[in-house]
């Protein structure tokens, strides 16, 4: 049997199980370190028993709803290759837009930044890489997540502060920017979550009480004590939260401007609280 036929058979099975067919070739190419041209050539070759077992092992993991990035051990984010596993969420392209916005609106040097719920460290590391003069603290409730984020920081050669904290529980400083991509999925929306996400990614970083608003409420109610004068807050939100999250911050920050911005797909995705200078 040629590799192409084996791929076709397994891809059809993956689709039937609610997974993306493209994940199989993505993982295969990544683990084999093959260019697209080399992969096309390999598809035309007869497969050995060893190769058959290799592909079948990838298929089984995908069929068991293990995300492709967990299988290969890393994810791309903002030009960085970050280690990811079951301790953290896989960074999403939408979160890159939050980083881009934060960088674009804050060209100043020497800002102090707090990333709440850092997970793999994606946001904090991307900011640190592009603003080396900023002082950045990455906080998370999970020590396992922090351990992985610190490993990613070391791999990227970046220096950050890390702290285990449930929102602001262990925070004592004030910051110019607070940024967060907190858990925001409501349990009633669980059916909208992909099976590989639901089965493999940490629920602590996915779901939140109060229809997904619990962490936003804490940030809205408590962050005033941790913001410097003129401080800003940058948040990623769920696409259904374009009104509910801003309402929390308008209530707690009546003197500030509260904006809701859309992502590249036209969905409400970011909320920014600032003094309106941009």
């Amino acid at each position: 049997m040629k590799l192409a036929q084996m791929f076709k058979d397994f891809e059809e099975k993956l689709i039937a199980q609610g997974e993306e067919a493209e994940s199989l070739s993505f993982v295969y190419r990544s683990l084999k370190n093959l260019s697209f041209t080399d992969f096309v050539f390999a598809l035309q070759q007869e497969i050995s028993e060893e190769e058959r077992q290799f592909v079948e092992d990838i298929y089984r993991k995908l069929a068991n709803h293990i995300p492709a990035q967990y299988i290969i051990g890393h994810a791309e984010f903002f030009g960085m290759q970050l280690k990811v596993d079951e301790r953290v969420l896989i960074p999403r392209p939408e979160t890159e837009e939050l980083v881009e916005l934060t960088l674009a609106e804050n060209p100043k040097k020497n800002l102090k930044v707090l990333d709440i719920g850092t997970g793999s460290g994606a946001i904090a590391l991307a900011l640190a890489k592009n603003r080396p003069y900023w002082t950045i603290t990455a906080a998370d409730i999970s020590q396992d997540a922090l351990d992985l984020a610190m490993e990613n920081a070391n791999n990227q050669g970046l220096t950050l502060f890390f702290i285990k904290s449930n929102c602001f529980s262990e925070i004592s400083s004030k910051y110019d920017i607070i940024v967060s991509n907190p858990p925001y999925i409501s349990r009633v929306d669980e059916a909208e979550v992909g099976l590989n996400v639901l089965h493999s990614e940490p629920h602590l970083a996915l779901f939140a009480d109060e229809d997904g608003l619990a962490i936003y409420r804490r940030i809205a109610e408590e962050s005033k004590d941790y913001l410097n004068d003129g401080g800003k807050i940058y948040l990623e939100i769920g696409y259904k939260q374009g009104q509910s999250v801003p309402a929390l911050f308008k209530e707690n920050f009546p003197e500030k401007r509260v904006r809701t911005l859309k992502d590249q797909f036209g969905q409400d995705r970011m909320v920014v609280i600032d003094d309106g200078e941009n």
Side-chain angles (χ1 to χ4, degrees):
M1 179 188 294
K2 290 186 177 180
L3 185 62
Q5 183 60 50
M6 190 175 191
F7 263 76
K8 182 176 182 294
D9 294 344
F10 281 146
E11 286 171 347
E12 289 174 354
K13 291 181 180 180
L14 285 173
I15 292 171
Q17 290 160 330
E19 293 297 331
E20 295 181 356
E22 298 80 7
S23 296
L24 186 63
S25 59
F26 171 74
V27 173
Y28 180 87
R29 284 182 57 196
S30 297
L31 293 179
K32 291 278 190 177
N33 196 26
L34 294 178
S35 69
F36 181 74
T37 302
D38 290 338
F39 174 62
V40 171
F41 177 77
L43 287 174
Q44 307 310 314
Q45 307 304 305
E46 295 289 331
I47 58 172
S48 64
E49 177 61 20
E50 182 181 5
E51 188 75 353
R52 185 193 66 77
Q53 291 180 2
F54 182 79
V55 177
E56 190 170 334
D57 182 60
I58 297 172
Y59 161 74
R60 282 203 202 95
K61 290 176 180 176
L62 292 171
N64 285 324
H65 310 299
I66 300 175
Q69 291 88 344
Y70 286 172
I71 299 173
I72 67 174
H74 65 263
E76 301 294 328
F77 186 84
F78 223 79
M80 302 178 294
Q81 190 177 93
L82 301 181
K83 181 177 179 180
V84 292
D85 58 29
E86 290 80 358
R87 291 174 286 179
V88 298
L89 288 186
I90 298 164
R92 266 62 173 186
E94 295 89 340
T95 308
E96 292 185 324
E97 296 186 58
L98 182 66
V99 172
E100 288 174 355
L101 179 68
T102 306
L103 292 171
E105 293 190 350
N106 298 279
K108 296 179 182 177
K109 296 181 178 181
N110 303 323
L111 295 180
K112 285 187 66 179
V113 180
L114 173 65
D115 175 21
I116 296 175
T118 196
S120 65
I123 293 175
L125 293 170
L127 294 176
K129 185 175 181 179
N130 289 274
R131 293 288 187 271
Y133 296 103
W134 287 5
T135 302
I136 299 175
T137 298
D140 203 287
I141 192 174
S142 166
Q143 186 61 51
D144 286 340
L146 285 173
D147 290 343
L148 184 55
M150 286 186 277
E151 186 175 345
N152 280 325
N154 288 334
N155 291 340
Q156 296 295 322
L158 297 169
T159 301
L160 289 76
F161 296 100
F162 293 93
I163 184 169
K164 184 179 180 183
S165 183
N166 183 354
C167 270
F168 298 101
S169 64
E170 304 300 322
I171 303 299
S172 57
S173 298
K174 289 193 173 186
Y175 298 88
D176 302 300
I177 295 173
I178 294 173
V179 61
S180 184
N181 176 21
Y184 57 66
I185 301 174
S186 170
R187 282 289 180 182
V188 300
D189 292 329
E190 190 172 305
E192 296 184 14
V193 180
L195 289 174
N196 58 357
V197 176
L198 195 60
H199 284 264
S200 298
E201 299 196 50
H203 285 200
L204 182 66
L206 286 169
F207 297 101
D209 295 334
E210 299 181 40
D211 290 330
L213 297 176
I215 308 304
Y216 296 114
R217 184 180 301 281
R218 286 196 62 181
I219 295 173
E221 293 176 350
E222 299 174 19
S223 58
K224 189 171 291 189
D225 294 332
Y226 302 94
L227 274 179
N228 286 325
D229 291 341
K232 305 176 184 181
I233 302 172
Y234 289 84
L235 304 167
E236 182 172 329
I237 63 169
Y239 72 96
K240 296 180 179 179
Q241 298 171 324
Q243 294 183 341
S244 54
V245 171
L248 289 173
F249 286 87
K250 288 175 182 177
E251 178 183 345
N252 287 275
F253 290 90
E255 76 286 0
K256 284 187 177 285
R257 175 179 68 169
V258 180
R259 290 177 285 156
T260 302
L261 296 95
K262 297 184 183 299
D263 62 22
Q264 59 184 314
F265 305 109
Q267 304 275 21
D268 289 339
R269 188 61 63 188
M270 293 166 282
V271 169
V272 182
I273 301 93
D274 60 26
D275 287 346
E277 67 271 23
N278 291 313

